[in-house]
Amino acid sequence: MMSELEFEKSILGQTEIKRFAQVTNTKSAFDVLDEVSWDFKDTKTQYLTHRFHSYPARFIPQIPRTFIKLFTKKGDVVLDPFAGCGTTLVESQLLNRHSIGNDLNPLATLISKVKTTPISTKRLEIITVLLEKIEKEIKSNNRKLKFPKLPNRNISNIFNDRMLEEIQIIKENIDELDDKEIFNLSLVALSSTIRAIIESENGDNILQIFKNKINMITETLKEYSKYVDNQTKVSIITADSRRLKNVESNSVDLIVTSPPYVNALDYYRVHMYNMLWLGMNYSAFKQNEIGGHSHHLFNRFRLLSEYLGDMLRSMIEMNRVMKKGKVCAIVVGNSSIDYELIESYKHFMNMAKFIGFEVKKTIFRNIDKSSKYFSNGKIDDEFIVVLQKMKDCEHSYKDDEFIAKVVRKELESFRERVKNNPGSSTRGKHVTAERLKKNVDKIDEAIKNVEKDIKFVEV
Ligand SMILES: C[S@@+](CC[C@H](N)C(=O)[O-])C[C@H]1O[C@@H](n2cnc3c(N)ncnc32)[C@H](O)[C@@H]1O
């Protein structure tokens, strides 16, 4: 096991290590933010449990680590309301800060749980028995298997009968495990196996992929347990960020989060096969996912109203749970709708001022555009909006009238920008002025429908 300093040296630059150590108060911490090399080029990002499962648009661990080191001390509470695969939680745990991870995606919370649960070596013996049993059954299957119904999508064609059978044998053997934590980590190994098959479109040796995954997870957890202190608490909640039901008011010392982007990707679609095989019910997630784009097909700008309303509610809840004077870092990229650039970070900065936050900094960072999930031309660059809670927000997440008023204002200024500078996305240059004029009409229509589009049905 490496010492704390050796470990830091392997994941952070020299300047960061030196400057983080010199920070004495919040004011000097804000100054240090300007000196960080935010692209963290050539540093490791897939260390320890971070490598357990791929996850679209996750952030690199150095982002939460930087904020945790600069703005909290040991024993403080860090929250990520859009925790995804748990990057913030792992970094908090490694740094002995308690953490709360919230996400509505049940697969996300399962992965986060496994990544932050050290397991004693003794209990890992159960896995040896599990693997032997699965291997035997795959050779001579006598089980009456109950297959999940796969959706009518092209991806389903990747799975032939032999593959379906092998995956199902693995799943049913996992279901028979009594040990909850071994059960969870086996499910994550299976889910990661399914993703590997989908991404490579190859399932020649499913058992071997599963064995490699489960061995990697168990070996890594053994190593991880050396770095974490059992007294550090990690709470993981499967809930909606617009209503942080299980998080107490004025209890959080830092928020570091990256919310979904507007009109970029639907997580429930990306994870549908994993969730189906794992037997997860994802209907609540499908209905309430923020940033999804499977509706408003004729006027995509209505997705923007909906997104801003959802984000404003989430930010009101973030304000509620934070202690006064504490910091909230929101990482978000630009996206585009119908050839118009959507600068979400600017909307967040404007909205934050109405709900008790002060904008302290906006940090620009280069993102790796070769990444599969960013290569669709919709997402350009990434920004970190750094806020400080100055006072309690006077409005609740339920205040539809207030939400509609703020979102309308944002859309009106967006409409002015589109009028003055139409087609501002990368692809906008290739479109006729006539086509772009239609966007102003669509934004007008979105403004008229704001009250309707920002509605939130709490479940
Ligand atoms: C950009 S990802 C976060 C990735 C995370 N920072 C990580 O490193 O893994 C955004 C997350 O928001 C979640 N999400 C979408 N709608 C949500 C909602 N209504 N409530 C809570 N989480 C939601 C998605 O499931 C996804 O995990």
Side-chain angles (χ1 to χ4, degrees):
M1 181 192 159
M2 285 189 246
S3 71
E4 200 177 319
L5 183 64
E6 277 170 345
F7 181 67
E8 287 240 298
K9 277 188 186 160
S10 73
I11 55 168
L12 290 176
Q14 287 295 335
T15 319
E16 284 78 26
I17 295 176
K18 192 170 140 223
R19 295 295 285 121
F20 292 176
Q22 290 164 349
V23 166
T24 48
N25 54 31
T26 309
K27 158 98 186 52
S28 59
F30 281 127
D31 294 340
V32 170
L33 289 177
D34 296 329
E35 295 174 42
V36 173
S37 307
W38 288 97
D39 52 4
F40 292 102
K41 238 176 156 191
D42 307 323
T43 52
K44 271 198 292 185
T45 55
Q46 295 287 297
Y47 51 87
L48 295 172
T49 62
H50 289 303
R51 67 173 85 100
F52 279 9
H53 198 290
S54 65
Y55 201 86
R58 64 167 117 175
F59 48 30
I60 56 168
Q62 283 82 357
I63 295 179
R65 174 167 282 262
T66 297
F67 284 95
I68 295 165
K69 289 215 72 151
L70 290 177
F71 295 100
T72 62
K73 56 184 187 315
K74 289 188 181 163
D76 276 359
V77 178
V78 181
L79 165 72
D80 187 343
F82 300 99
C85 66
T87 314
T88 303
L89 314 179
V90 170
E91 288 303 310
S92 302
Q93 196 177 25
L94 288 170
L95 291 165
N96 294 324
R97 273 67 165 174
H98 304 301
S99 62
I100 307 169
N102 177 87
D103 203 292
L104 196 53
N105 179 347
L107 180 65
T109 46
L110 174 74
I111 300 170
S112 295
K113 218 172 266 166
V114 171
K115 282 165 96 169
T116 53
T117 310
I119 288 190
S120 72
T121 321
K122 213 162 152 244
R123 284 162 62 221
L124 295 175
E125 284 166 13
I126 305 171
I127 289 169
T128 319
V129 179
L130 172 76
L131 290 176
E132 282 168 6
K133 212 165 148 256
I134 293 173
E135 187 150 17
K136 222 188 249 165
E137 277 199 29
I138 286 181
K139 280 188 191 140
S140 60
N141 179 28
N142 298 318
R143 207 183 258 271
K144 230 180 148 11
L145 297 163
K146 287 198 201 89
F147 296 101
K149 194 173 161 7
L150 296 189
N152 192 9
R153 292 173 72 196
N154 284 344
I155 296 181
S156 298
N157 300 330
I158 298 174
F159 299 92
N160 61 30
D161 287 351
R162 179 197 50 81
M163 289 156 74
L164 293 173
E165 203 174 287
E166 287 186 17
I167 295 174
Q168 198 54 27
I169 290 174
I170 297 175
K171 170 65 170 61
E172 293 190 12
N173 272 283
I174 294 174
D175 284 343
E176 287 164 9
L177 291 170
D178 293 326
D179 186 311
K180 185 74 185 152
E181 283 159 8
I182 303 288
F183 169 78
N184 282 344
L185 82 78
S186 307
L187 282 185
V188 168
L190 176 60
S191 174
S192 181
T193 305
I194 292 167
R195 278 241 63 78
I197 298 169
I198 293 175
E199 282 169 14
S200 65
E201 299 193 8
N202 183 348
D204 284 348
N205 203 342
I206 293 178
L207 180 60
Q208 194 54 49
I209 304 175
F210 178 69
K211 273 184 179 171
N212 292 347
K213 300 269 180 204
I214 210 161
N215 287 335
M216 178 271 285
I217 292 177
T218 50
E219 284 308 308
T220 309
L221 279 176
K222 275 192 234 165
E223 181 67 7
Y224 188 67
S225 59
K226 296 180 195 157
Y227 287 89
V228 304
D229 176 349
N230 288 341
Q231 304 300 311
T232 308
K233 284 188 264 165
V234 185
S235 316
I236 293 166
I237 307 164
T238 308
D240 199 313
S241 58
R242 294 168 291 183
R243 175 72 184 111
L244 294 170
K245 269 186 201 150
N246 296 307
V247 191
E248 270 177 46
S249 303
N250 301 304
S251 64
V252 168
D253 298 285
L254 170 71
I255 291 181
V256 193
T257 196
S258 61
Y261 297 26
V262 61
N263 193 32
L265 76 107
D266 290 359
Y267 280 87
Y268 94 86
R269 276 180 194 277
V270 177
H271 290 143
M272 185 188 284
Y273 285 82
N274 307 59
M275 295 196 277
L276 269 173
W277 249 303
L278 266 47
M280 289 173 165
N281 179 352
Y282 59 86
S283 60
F285 180 49
K286 183 177 168 186
Q287 273 167 31
N288 293 289
E289 175 170 356
I290 295 177
H293 64 318
S294 48
H295 52 297
H296 290 319
L297 298 181
F298 297 107
N299 185 351
R300 295 310 223 171
F301 295 102
R302 292 180 67 179
L303 293 176
L304 180 61
S305 322
E306 192 180 278
Y307 177 72
L308 293 178
D310 289 341
M311 283 308 301
L312 182 55
R313 281 185 218 274
S314 304
M315 288 166 71
I316 291 174
E317 277 291 89
M318 293 187 211
N319 173 290
R320 175 183 68 77
V321 300
M322 284 175 74
K323 293 178 190 165
K324 215 167 127 190
K326 299 295 178 180
V327 169
C328 167
I330 308 180
V331 183
V332 69
N334 286 342
S335 22
S336 69
I337 296 182
D338 280 358
Y339 312 107
E340 306 298 349
L341 180 71
I342 308 293
E343 296 173 298
S344 299
Y345 78 101
K346 289 194 178 162
H347 295 297
F348 294 176
M349 283 160 63
N350 294 338
M351 298 195 304
K353 292 176 203 155
F354 293 112
I355 57 171
F357 288 113
E358 193 175 292
V359 180
K360 303 302 285 188
K361 289 234 183 282
T362 313
I363 298 159
F364 167 79
R365 67 177 293 272
N366 275 319
I367 55 169
D368 175 10
K369 296 190 185 65
S370 61
S371 149
K372 185 162 155 227
Y373 290 100
F374 291 108
S375 61
N376 58 6
K378 287 179 175 171
I379 299 172
D380 295 320
D381 296 311
E382 191 168 84
F383 297 84
I384 309 176
V385 179
V386 186
L387 309 171
Q388 188 172 25
K389 175 171 169 178
M390 306 313 285
K391 57 177 187 178
D392 286 336
C393 175
E394 288 156 14
H395 303 273
S396 114
Y397 72 97
K398 287 188 196 162
D399 192 338
D400 285 353
E401 206 177 305
F402 169 71
I403 309 273
K405 196 171 116 195
V406 175
V407 171
R408 191 179 307 105
K409 202 165 155 1
E410 287 307 301
L411 282 187
E412 282 167 356
S413 64
F414 173 63
R415 179 179 55 191
E416 281 318 292
R417 209 201 73 203
V418 170
K419 272 186 187 165
N420 296 329
N421 179 23
S424 51
S425 81
T426 327
R427 291 181 183 174
K429 295 172 202 78
H430 310 294
V431 189
T432 62
E434 211 151 292
R435 166 69 189 76
L436 292 174
K437 253 192 223 146
K438 287 191 185 149
N439 281 349
V440 177
D441 298 337
K442 286 187 185 174
I443 300 168
D444 273 334
E445 195 203 355
I447 293 172
K448 282 192 197 117
N449 281 288
V450 160
E451 274 84 2
K452 203 153 82 193
D453 292 338
I454 57 105
K455 278 269 177 290
F456 166 44
V457 184
E458 210 173 316
V459 277

